[in-house]
Amino acid sequence: FVVRAFQGNTVLGSLVTHLIRLAPPVTASAGAEPLRIGVTVPLTARATLDDSGRPALDTDAAARLEHTIDAVPSQPGVPVAVLPSAEALQLLTSGPRPTGPAAIEDLRAASTRTVLAVPFAPIDTGAWTAAGLDGQMNDQYTAGGETLSALLQDEPDGRIAVLDRTVTADSLARLLQLGAQSVVVPSGHLSPMRDRNASFAELCTLDAGLDVGPPAVVADDPSSARLRPGGDPVLAGHLA
């Protein structure tokens, strides 16, 4: 719980206090857990163009990406899936910082982490599908998978698709054709839930107007927003 002290509309200070719920011994021994969470960590950086017109990472972008990569193997007990940018990781290996290749080695060593399949570079899947660019979209996912396999020495998992706000019903159908079996969907991308007892922690079926809706879990947008860079990272983690 977050406790804040106010004077008028001014926050004088805040602190975080914890309430930890433990399962009864019998339930815990049976393997049941009252609450489970999973964290999907984006590993990406904004590429710019160098003097020759080729994509590149500047020093600050490369440093931020390395810092995020460093956090992935540091907490082996936390369930983490990695959502990498194949382009950004490739650029990091030849970027402006000599520590870039070592960061990729550290990520490769975190073999217990699930690496999710992605296109080589971010694309607007809805617009590409609407424009009939299915073949080019396939090429993007093929290039992304091959790049990640080469860098991390591991095949990315294409069975789970993390949807963004560009995804439409048609592009979702295309992602399912590419091998996705379940999806992670942002909470802000959903219509209000009819069932007031529904929980984001539960597996559900995504109703997107398809013949068969894929199994889905919901990513909580407010929690994700609290984990973005800026401010006190420790407090942000507690608030999330």
Side-chain angles (χ1 to χ4, degrees):
F1 297 94
V2 181
V3 179
R4 293 190 176 96
F6 289 86
Q7 183 175 20
N9 294 325
T10 303
V11 178
L12 300 179
S14 63
L15 60 88
V16 177
T17 181
H18 299 272
L19 174 64
I20 302 175
R21 179 187 171 196
L22 299 177
V26 174
T27 304
S29 64
E33 299 177 63
L35 176 64
R36 295 184 64 191
I37 64 169
V39 179
T40 301
V41 180
L43 297 179
T44 187
R46 185 181 296 276
T48 57
L49 298 180
D50 62 16
D51 294 339
S52 64
R54 296 179 179 274
L57 296 182
D58 62 34
T59 302
D60 290 341
R64 287 192 296 269
L65 180 54
E66 287 182 31
H67 183 68
T68 306
I69 290 174
D70 289 343
V72 172
S74 65
Q75 299 293 331
V78 178
V80 168
V82 175
L83 184 67
S85 163
E87 179 187 41
L89 295 188
Q90 185 181 67
L91 292 174
L92 187 63
T93 63
S94 58
R97 290 167 55 89
T99 49
I104 298 296
E105 289 287 344
D106 291 341
L107 184 59
R108 183 184 303 164
S111 57
T112 59
R113 301 306 192 192
T114 298
V115 178
L116 301 178
V118 292
F120 179 76
I123 60 175
D124 186 324
T125 55
W128 281 44
T129 303
L133 300 177
D134 290 346
Q136 291 88 335
M137 186 168 162
N138 292 353
D139 293 342
Q140 276 283 329
Y141 274 89
T142 298
E146 291 176 348
T147 301
L148 292 176
S149 295
L151 290 173
L152 305 179
Q153 302 297 305
D154 193 15
E155 192 76 21
D157 190 341
R159 296 172 298 174
I160 303 172
V162 178
L163 308 185
D164 60 31
R165 286 166 178 77
T166 72
V167 174
T168 61
D170 289 340
S171 59
L172 174 58
R174 188 62 190 155
L175 292 175
L176 296 176
Q177 291 173 359
L178 289 173
Q181 300 174 11
S182 57
V183 299
V184 178
V185 57
S187 59
H189 206 46
L190 297 173
S191 300
M193 295 183 179
R194 301 185 186 93
D195 183 359
R196 294 185 178 181
N197 295 320
S199 167
F200 285 171
E202 297 175 353
L203 187 68
C204 59
T205 299
L206 183 63
D207 182 5
L210 305 176
D211 292 339
V212 179
V217 293
V218 179
D220 185 32
D221 282 350
S223 295
S224 299
R226 295 185 183 104
L227 294 175
R228 290 173 184 158
D232 184 341
V234 176
L235 179 59
H238 285 305
L239 291 173

